[in-house]
Amino acid sequence: MGNLEGKAALVTGGSRGIGRAICLELARQGARVVVNYHSNAEAAAEVVARIKEAGGEAVAIGGDVANADAAAALVKGAVEALGGLDILVNNAGITRDRLLMRMSESDWDDVHNTNLKGTFLVTKAAMRPLLRSSAGRIIVITSVIGVMGNAGQANYAAAKAGLIGFTRAVAREVASRAITVNAVAPGFIETDIIAPMSEEAIKGAMAQIPMERMAKPEEVAPLVAFLAGDGGGYITGQCIHVDGGMVMA
Ligand code: NAP
C-alpha cells in the first residue's frame, strides 16, 4: 500500500514541469489527483493518461489560479471529483524577468497575481474541505530566489519571499486542526520556465550551485510526497530547500 493511499490531492499547474512530476509521484504513492492547468489542456490530459495507465486515478481541471472565481471553481471541482480534499500543492507559477529599471507594472502584477495571489485564492477556497480531512496538508512551491534574491527577478523574488511568509502565517492558523503547511524551495530545475534565460544567466546560476548541476523535476517531487504523507505529520511552517546546496542556512 502506498504512503498516500486513498488521499485526495489537488496540484495547481500540474500539466508541466515540477507540477507534472508532483502529480505523477503523488499518484505513484496512491493518491487520487486533480491535475490543474491554465492553458495547456493537452499536457494535462497526458499527465492524467500516464497516471491512469499506471492504474491510478486522476482528472484534469483547467482554471487560472489568479482569478478568484476560477480558483473557487477549481477547488469545488476537485472536491466533487475526489469526494474531499487532503492535499493541496500550490505549484502554479510564472516568471517575467527584467531588470527593475525596465520592469513594467504588468510584469510585476502578472507574477504576483499567479504566484502569490493565486496561492492565497486557492488555499482560501480549499480551507473548508481541508479542515474536514483528518490530516490536511498544504505545500507551497516557492524558490531559492525568494530567499537569496536574483538580479532581474525583483517581481519573482518578492512573490516567492511572500509565499514563505504566507506559509508560516497559515501554518500557525491551522496547526491546532492537524493541518500542516510547508514551503518547498527548489533551486535550478530543468523545466520550460528556464527557457527564456540567456546563456549568461544560466552560467551565472550554475556557478552558484555547489553540486554543479541542475536538477530534474523528479528530484523535487519526492519531498512534496513525503510532506504530504504521514511522515510529514509533525513538520509545519518550514521552508525546505531542494537546491543542490545553493542556500545553506
Ligand atoms: P513550468 O514548467 O513553466 O510550468 C508551469 C505550470 O504552471 C504549468 O503547468 C502551467 O500551466 C501552470 N500555470 C501557469 N500559470 C498558471 C495560472 N495562472 N493558473 C494555473 N496554472 C498556471 O514551470 P516549473 O519550472 O515547473 O515551475 C513550477 C513551480 O516551481 C513554479 O511555482 C516556479 O516558480 C517554481 N520553481 C521553479 C524553478 C525552476 O528552476 N524550474 C525553481 C524554483 C521554483 P499550463 O501548462 O496550462 O501553461
Side-chain angles (χ1 to χ4, degrees), residues 11-16 35-45 60-67 70-71 74 91-94 96 110 113-115:
V11 181
T12 68
S15 47
R16 291 184 288 121
V35 180
N36 161 250
Y37 63 95
H38 183 207
S39 49
N40 212 328
E42 230 171 84
I61 302 183
D64 178 359
V65 297
N67 177 290
L74 166 63
N91 164 80
I94 59 166
R96 296 282 182 271
D110 289 352
N113 286 342
T114 298
N115 294 272

Side-chain angles (χ1 to χ4, degrees), residues 78-99:
V79 170
E80 278 168 11
L82 304 173
L85 191 65
D86 303 294
I87 301 161
L88 167 64
V89 183
N90 287 294
N91 164 80
I94 59 166
T95 53
R96 296 282 182 271
D97 298 354
R98 238 172 283 282
L99 291 173

Side-chain angles (χ1 to χ4, degrees), residues 145-202:
I145 304 304
V147 177
M148 61 193 277
N150 192 26
Q153 292 196 301
N155 50 358
Y156 185 77
K160 292 301 194 185
L163 284 176
I164 297 171
F166 175 86
T167 296
R168 293 187 171 141
V170 180
R172 288 184 186 276
E173 283 188 27
V174 297
S176 65
R177 308 296 297 270
I179 300 178
T180 67
V181 192
N182 290 290
V184 168
F188 201 19
I189 318 296
E190 278 184 67
T191 71
D192 297 342
I193 214 169
I194 63 170
M197 284 176 75
S198 66
E199 216 169 286
E200 199 191 341
I202 291 180

Side-chain angles (χ1 to χ4, degrees), residues 3-4 7 29 135 137 180 182 223-236 240:
N3 175 39
L4 303 174
K7 300 279 185 189
Q29 297 198 25
R137 299 280 191 268
T180 67
N182 290 290
L223 172 61
V224 175
F226 175 79
L227 290 170
D230 290 344
Y234 199 57
I235 302 171
T236 199
I240 304 173

